[in-house]
Amino acid sequence: MPQTSQCLSFSCREIVDGSVEKCPKCGTKMRTPKMVRRLGWFLLLVGLFLVALMGTITWNMAPSLLRPYAPGSNFTGTAEQAHMILRLFAIVIIFGVGTMINGIWQIATGQRNRWITIATLGLAVVLFVVAWTTNRGLGG
Ligand SMILES: [Zn+2]
């Protein structure tokens, strides 16, 4: 996997081989493999945090949410609302996993993967829409 650095200037976007701090064309700072790796660790930690947090919440709430009318259930909404909440949790977890994959890729290669980044951004949009509709569905 060849290591490249990319210029951070939007008008330039020059890509050169190796780890180069400054763009040879315009003098702007470049995104080096080291920076990409550091960002990768950040993404990995954020992803891990999301998955661990939402996994724990889902694990604790799923029994009540899956059987909202059962005795002892502390969830007072309807079954439909319960499914909306579970769907939201699931998408947050998928988003967290996608963020982790993105981070692991960047740590391993020192490069950004355009498709993983686009997929993660797409998931973020889906997450936003689902969170919004869930909020509306719950009357928030
Ligand atoms: Zn440049």
Side-chain angles (χ1 to χ4, degrees), residues 48-132:
L48 266 176
F49 174 76
L50 277 178
V51 171
L53 182 75
M54 291 315 292
T56 309
I57 293 173
T58 307
W59 184 260
N60 287 321
M61 283 182 73
S64 302
L65 288 172
L66 289 172
R67 292 185 303 138
Y69 308 118
S73 170
N74 52 12
F75 179 69
T76 54
T78 66
E80 201 182 321
Q81 288 174 333
H83 284 144
M84 286 175 91
I85 294 172
L86 281 175
R87 192 177 56 185
L88 179 65
F89 287 178
I91 291 170
V92 175
I93 290 171
I94 294 167
F95 177 69
V97 170
T99 305
M100 281 168 65
I101 291 170
N102 204 0
I104 290 166
W105 177 275
Q106 292 192 15
I107 295 162
T109 64
Q111 305 288 304
R112 292 218 301 189
N113 183 300
R114 184 147 57 117
W115 300 113
I116 298 177
T117 304
I118 289 170
T120 315
L121 286 176
L123 275 174
V125 172
V126 171
L127 177 62
F128 180 78
V129 171
V130 170
W132 192 70

Side-chain angles (χ1 to χ4, degrees), residues 7 12 14 23 26:
C7 179
C12 177
E14 176 86 345
C23 178
C26 72

Side-chain angles (χ1 to χ4, degrees), residues 7-9 11-14 23-30:
C7 179
L8 289 172
S9 164
S11 56
C12 177
R13 290 276 162 212
E14 176 86 345
C23 178
K25 211 168 152 191
C26 72
T28 309
K29 246 173 94 93
M30 297 196 90

